[in-house]
Amino acid sequence: MADTADLAHNYLSHLTNREWDAWSALLHPDVIYTTPQSRERWRGREAFLRFNQEYPGDWQLTEKWVLGDTDRAVIWFAWTVGDDCGDAQSFLSFDDSGRITEITEFWPEPYDAPDRATPATERF
């Protein structure tokens, strides 16, 4: 099996650079992409490719870090679309041939934390 961290890095790099053929080659034909926060799911490489090709705006993704084990990887990345920006995480599962079979992605929005009783909390 290939190094899942390297595969995850390549996945984000090809996606960011819109290298659709190289990016698609990393995906299993029946890949499932899920975004739990919006409760949406795309089934199949062609549907997921089309979603990314048609997503509006000049979006950019910047890798922060990648972790991988034998059949999974996690990517933490920053994103920008116009004046909007934030962080997101992709959780990838791989088959024995090193193709991505499942992606679960979280796109959290920042929020103001409640007042806390402990003085050890630092805001940034």
Side-chain angles (χ1 to χ4, degrees), residues 2-27 61 63 66 73-75 92 94 98 100:
D3 183 309
T4 59
D6 285 344
L7 292 169
H9 168 78
N10 291 338
Y11 165 84
L12 192 68
S13 177
H14 293 317
L15 180 59
T16 299
N17 294 312
R18 292 161 176 80
E19 297 165 347
W20 301 122
D21 290 339
W23 179 78
S24 293
L26 297 172
L27 304 174
L61 311 175
E63 180 183 304
V66 174
V74 178
I75 309 168
L92 312 175
F94 297 86
I100 299 167

Side-chain angles (χ1 to χ4, degrees), residues 26-101:
L26 297 172
L27 304 174
H28 187 279
D30 297 323
V31 66
I32 297 172
Y33 173 70
T34 304
T35 56
Q37 290 166 297
S38 64
R39 298 185 325 271
E40 293 177 288
R41 181 170 290 136
W42 289 260
R43 292 183 185 274
R45 181 170 40 206
E46 294 306 315
F48 188 37
L49 171 63
R50 186 172 178 179
F51 165 73
N52 281 285
Q53 289 175 325
E54 295 177 355
Y55 197 87
D58 183 24
W59 47 269
Q60 300 298 315
L61 311 175
T62 304
E63 180 183 304
K64 290 192 170 192
W65 57 256
V66 174
L67 294 174
D69 66 14
T70 57
D71 59 353
R72 294 171 298 190
V74 178
I75 309 168
W76 176 15
F77 59 96
W79 59 268
T80 59
V81 179
D83 293 333
D84 292 330
C85 62
D87 288 339
Q89 300 82 38
S90 292
F91 295 81
L92 312 175
S93 297
F94 297 86
D95 66 12
D96 290 339
S97 68
R99 290 187 298 179
I100 299 167
T101 59

Side-chain angles (χ1 to χ4, degrees), residues 37 108-116 123-124:
Q37 290 166 297
E109 292 189 21
Y111 66 94
D112 289 327
D115 289 331
R116 306 214 189 262
R123 290 226 172 148
F124 59 95

